[in-house]
Amino acid sequence: MKVIVVDDSSTMRRIIKNTLSRLGMEDIVEAEHGLDALSKLDGIDLIFTDWNMPEMDGLTFVKSVRASQTYKHIPIIMVTTEAGKEDIVEAIKSGVNNYVVKPFTPEVLKSKIEAVIGK
């Protein structure tokens, strides 16, 4: 399974990558923002994206992925500090498959992945 982690924080990308590696996912691509990620989606099976990023924020990125005939099927998990109910609803309406609020535990990330792609 090939995964992309989209976050403007290199520290957060590293935390997510390390967690995914411990869960057995080794093929992990990184992107600093939505525009960067759009150019790296070939072969991707699962997307993790932050909401607040420069260049192209996560919500705009999600909408761009969902508008693409090529990539609209890829499951998307948003990992963000935005914890308000209205934010979660907006993200789901935009096409996010699941939602993780920072900070998170490896168990939470694992359960969100399993909910999206199965065990």
Side-chain angles (χ1 to χ4, degrees):
M1 169 169 286
K2 189 172 181 180
V3 177
I4 188 166
V5 178
V6 189
D7 198 307
D8 56 319
S9 164
S10 60
T11 302
M12 185 51 62
R13 287 196 311 269
R14 187 173 64 249
I15 290 168
I16 295 171
K17 272 184 72 169
N18 289 343
T19 303
L20 294 174
S21 291
R22 284 195 295 274
L23 294 174
M25 296 182 182
E26 298 298 330
D27 196 356
I28 304 169
V29 177
E30 293 183 51
E32 291 184 39
H33 50 72
L35 274 180
D36 186 22
L38 285 175
S39 67
K40 298 177 177 179
L41 289 179
D42 281 342
I44 295 295
D45 301 302
L46 180 60
I47 297 169
F48 292 88
T49 185
D50 187 19
W51 187 317
N52 300 301
M53 298 178 288
E55 306 288 329
M56 178 186 277
D57 66 74
L59 214 53
T60 305
F61 169 64
V62 168
K63 290 175 183 175
S64 297
V65 171
R66 292 298 177 236
S68 163
Q69 287 300 316
T70 307
Y71 304 119
K72 68 181 181 181
H73 68 282
I74 303 173
I76 302 173
I77 298 175
M78 186 163 275
V79 184
T80 182
T81 56
E82 302 298 329
K85 184 177 181 181
E86 63 280 354
D87 295 325
I88 296 169
V89 169
E90 184 177 1
I92 300 290
K93 283 183 179 175
S94 297
V96 169
N97 297 90
N98 221 318
Y99 200 91
V100 178
V101 178
K102 296 175 191 174
F104 57 87
T105 64
E107 292 76 25
V108 166
L109 201 59
K110 183 178 187 223
S111 71
K112 299 294 185 171
I113 294 167
E114 288 174 351
V116 170
I117 63 167
K119 296 184 180 184

